């Protein structure tokens, strides 16, 4: 049997009975794969059938292929403060040979806090990250405890995208002299790719790939390798954006939302030289995690966008062709922090309310 299938089977052997969720694709089966997590933030599958889950407080759990679980040692010290902590996980395509695991996290640098990215090697029995090294640190961080962004995506060319929120310092999202409100692009070693769009621009941070973001907590490649992010608006104005090199996504100059006070944001909804979202939500759903589906188990959903809602306790599915929304909701979809496609085409999601990892199948 495929080891990936074997691993999920081991977890399912201890799972409670499946529950139903209605959808446009018919009744879906929802099964709990694991629970007992405190503020789970990210889930990723390992090629050998294991699963890694991060908890914001700094714990990385390995759900092993034999059904056992272990807390992974060697995780970096993180700043567990406000929205900061241990955040995203990225498993590169060559993990079978490299054994590398990438983590994003809130890190203290001097007197300020910022989003950091590092990597280590998972040892042979999956109990420790060996030689973990920070390869990127947000420049000129903040003492704010919010808007760390922090999703990691491996591009098809092997470079890495990392999203960073504007840390609540709105004007900095338009200032290329810092990393606030940006998507950065790095080589896996942390070296800056020479074709990044702001290389050579005086004063600009050379890691920046796009800017003008508020708090992008979801990022994924589509089936053609193009990068998309979902980001939190204020009161209204959550966005799904197609990312282009050098693109300015407008925050806080343009937005489809309002400040929490009800006051107008910036100059309106459009401005020359600033990108428009592919889709926006008003009222806000507080999107976190983004998955673009392969169509493996549900061919009609091929290419569709799935993102968790931290506000309305559901998973939002946007049809790739029409961008019409379907809301997948059940008692288990409480504050969905991450949504990923499992190795066999199933949908996995993390519920903060339940502290649990769930699986959706037909």
């Amino acid at each position: 049997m495929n080891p990936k299938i074997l691993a999920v089977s081991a977890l399912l052997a201890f799972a409670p009975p499946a529950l139903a969720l209605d959808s446009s694709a018919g009744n879906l089966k929802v099964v709990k794969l694991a629970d007992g997590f405190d503020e789970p933030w990210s889930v990723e599958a390992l090629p050998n059938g294991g699963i890694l889950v991060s908890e914001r407080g700094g714990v990385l759990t390995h759900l092993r292929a034999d059904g056992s679980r272990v807390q992974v040692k060697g995780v970096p010290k993180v700043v567990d403060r406000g929205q900061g902590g241990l955040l995203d996980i990225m498993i590169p395509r060559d993990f079978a040979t490299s054994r590398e695991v990438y983590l994003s996290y809130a890190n203290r640098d001097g007197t300020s806090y910022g989003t950091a990215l590092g990597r280590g090697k998972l040892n042979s029995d999956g109990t420790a990250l060996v030689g973990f090294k920070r390869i990127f640190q947000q420049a000129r961080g903040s003492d704010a405890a919010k808007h760390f962004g922090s999703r990691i995506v491996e591009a098809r060319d092997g470079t890495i995208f990392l999203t960073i929120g504007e840390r609540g310092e709105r004007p900095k999202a338009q200032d290329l002299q810092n990393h606030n409100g940006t998507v950065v692009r790095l080589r896996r070693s942390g070296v800056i790719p020479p074709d990044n769009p702001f290389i050579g621009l005086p004063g600009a941070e050379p890691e920046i790939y796009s800017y003008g973001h508020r708090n992008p907590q979801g990022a994924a490649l589509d089936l053609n390798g193009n990068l998309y992010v979902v980001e939190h608006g204020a009161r209204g104005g959550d966005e799904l954006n197609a990312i282009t090199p050098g693109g300015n996504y407008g925050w806080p100059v343009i937005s489809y939302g309002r400040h929490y006070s009800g006051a107008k944001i910036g100059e309106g909804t459009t401005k020359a030289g600033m990108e428009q979202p592919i889709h926006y939500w008003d009222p806000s759903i507080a999107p976190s995690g983004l998955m673009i589906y392969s169509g493996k188990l549900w061919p009609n959903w091929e290419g569709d966008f799935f993102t968790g809602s931290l506000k309305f306790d559901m998973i939002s599915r946007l049809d790739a062709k029409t961008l019409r929304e379907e809301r997948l909701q059940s008692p288990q979809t409480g504050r969905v922090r991450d949504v990923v496609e499992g190795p066999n085409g199933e949908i996995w999601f993390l519920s903060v309310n339940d502290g649990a990892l769930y699986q959706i199948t037909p």
Side-chain angles (χ1 to χ4, degrees), residues 41-44 53-56 60 85-91 101-106 115-118 132 149-153 161-163 217-219 289 337-338 340 350:
W41 216 91
S42 177
V43 56
E44 284 291 320
V53 178
S54 67
E55 298 172 50
R56 194 171 54 75
L60 183 65
L86 181 61
L87 302 172
D88 206 18
I89 307 165
M90 192 276 283
I91 308 300
V101 174
Y102 287 74
L103 301 175
S104 65
Y105 54 102
T115 300
L117 175 69
F132 191 89
S150 287
R151 292 295 175 186
I152 317 165
V153 175
F161 295 112
L162 171 69
T163 70
Q217 284 196 358
R337 175 65 74 180
D338 200 12
V340 303
L350 289 173

Side-chain angles (χ1 to χ4, degrees), residues 147 164-167 173 181 212-216 231-234 251 260:
H147 297 184
I164 303 174
E166 36 77 295
R167 308 299 313 290
H213 301 285
R214 185 172 182 268
N215 189 24
E231 54 189 283
H232 291 244
W251 180 259
Y260 296 117

